Amino acid sequence: MVAEKRAERQTKREGERVPCTKLRIFVLAFAGAMFLASIGVTVWHGANGFEAAGLPLLLSNVVLWLIPFACHIWFRRAVSDGVLLIAEIFLFFASFLGSCVRLYDLIGWYDIAMHSVVGYVAALLGLFFVCKLADVGRLRPAFVLLVCIAVSLAIAAVWEMYEFVTDLWLAGGAQGAPVETVTGDFVVPVNDTMEDILCNTGGALVFAIHYLAHVWSKKDLGIGFFKRDFTTKKKAAPLAAPQKEQQECPSCNTNAPDAGKNSKNS
């Protein structure tokens, strides 16, 4: 029994193993290269007098490049290579160029654009959760959008809380520079935080319009691709092997007792 269970678990692992396609290899190699590049840029900033308050943000961007490896190990075939590639392209512009190369400081509108894109991508992550936990085809579009927008706003709130905590503990300026009030106190305006949340909400609303266009027009529009990719495909259970003896001779079992009686009588 122990050997049979061990063989069954081994067969299950082999069935769930992700084939190493060329795109999968490129996705993992690119993630590994960007992980090392982010570490190098973070070390370079630290060695050249970069303010200590910004180092936790840089380190968090380094950790983001481990997401493709986590998806490859945990989700296996649940997320396709194409979706991982799209996520890496987003991380490249938002994380590496934005934080590590500091385009957020060099280009004024870059932060607004990235927060808007984050709102859309985070809503897409909400669609991922819906597809994994339920049959999205049987759910009402209003309920799906409610979950997607809620996930997007929750991610925006968590990120703003992270910036607030790092600014509070490390005296950083992720949420803006402090200004002096008429009473002589220094406070940080909420303008930057509210702009980020509004941009995130705008991105989530763009996703809602995109999703409704997909539902009403009954066309793919890109949303259908993600729904198919996010939906867990369950393998059909193997049919039980038919009992050959009963199929070949269905009357054997019923006649067996009678045959025994006849043998006794004789």
Side-chain angles (χ1 to χ4, degrees):
M1 292 295 294
V2 176
E4 292 178 357
K5 291 183 179 180
R6 187 177 302 172
E8 183 179 353
R9 288 196 298 267
Q10 182 66 23
T11 304
K12 185 177 180 181
R13 292 194 194 100
E14 293 178 356
E16 294 178 350
R17 189 171 298 167
V18 179
C20 291
T21 61
K22 293 182 179 180
L23 183 57
R24 173 76 61 163
I25 295 174
F26 173 78
V27 166
L28 296 178
F30 182 74
M34 295 310 303
F35 176 77
L36 297 177
S38 300
I39 293 177
V41 173
T42 302
V43 173
W44 183 84
H45 279 305
N48 287 270
F50 185 72
E51 58 271 16
L55 291 179
L57 185 61
L58 292 178
L59 292 175
S60 64
N61 285 279
V62 172
V63 176
L64 288 176
W65 287 104
L66 297 177
I67 292 178
F69 295 98
C71 292
H72 176 74
I73 296 173
W74 293 337
F75 294 115
R76 300 180 184 273
R77 294 180 181 177
V79 180
S80 67
D81 301 339
V83 174
L84 289 179
L85 182 61
I86 293 174
E88 286 189 354
I89 293 174
F90 169 75
L91 288 177
F92 177 76
F93 286 98
S95 172
F96 184 75
L97 294 182
S99 297
C100 296
V101 184
R102 304 188 67 179
L103 288 186
Y104 291 131
D105 299 330
L106 300 176
I107 303 176
W109 52 265
Y110 198 84
D111 180 65
I112 296 176
M114 286 298 101
H115 274 284
S116 301
V117 176
V118 166
Y120 184 96
V121 175
L124 194 61
L125 181 62
L127 181 63
F128 172 81
F129 292 143
V130 173
C131 293
K132 291 300 177 185
L133 298 176
D135 186 358
V136 67
R138 297 183 178 181
L139 299 177
R140 293 184 178 181
F143 176 79
V144 176
L145 290 179
L146 178 63
V147 175
C148 293
I149 294 176
V151 170
S152 180
L153 295 181
I155 292 176
V158 170
W159 181 256
E160 295 301 326
M161 286 189 290
Y162 169 76
E163 288 186 347
F164 174 78
V165 171
T166 55
D167 287 354
L168 185 64
W169 288 355
L170 301 174
Q175 292 190 318
V179 296
E180 186 177 2
T181 62
V182 293
T183 59
D185 299 327
F186 287 89
V187 296
V188 178
V190 297
N191 294 14
D192 182 79
T193 301
M194 296 309 300
E195 286 178 359
D196 293 345
I197 294 178
L198 289 175
C199 291
N200 190 288
T201 304
L205 293 178
V206 170
F207 173 84
I209 296 173
H210 190 187
Y211 187 85
L212 289 177
H214 157 72
V215 173
W216 291 340
S217 66
K218 297 182 180 180
K219 295 182 180 180
D220 192 279
L221 300 181
I223 297 294
F225 165 77
F226 287 108
K227 289 168 67 175
R228 291 190 300 271
D229 185 83
F230 293 160
T231 302
T232 303
K233 297 180 181 179
K234 298 182 179 179
K235 297 182 179 180
L239 297 176
Q243 298 180 1
K244 296 182 179 180
E245 296 181 358
Q246 293 182 0
Q247 289 184 351
E248 293 176 357
C249 185
S251 61
C252 293
N253 295 333
T254 57
N255 295 334
D258 295 336
K261 293 179 180 179
N262 294 332
S263 61
K264 291 181 180 180
N265 295 332
S266 60

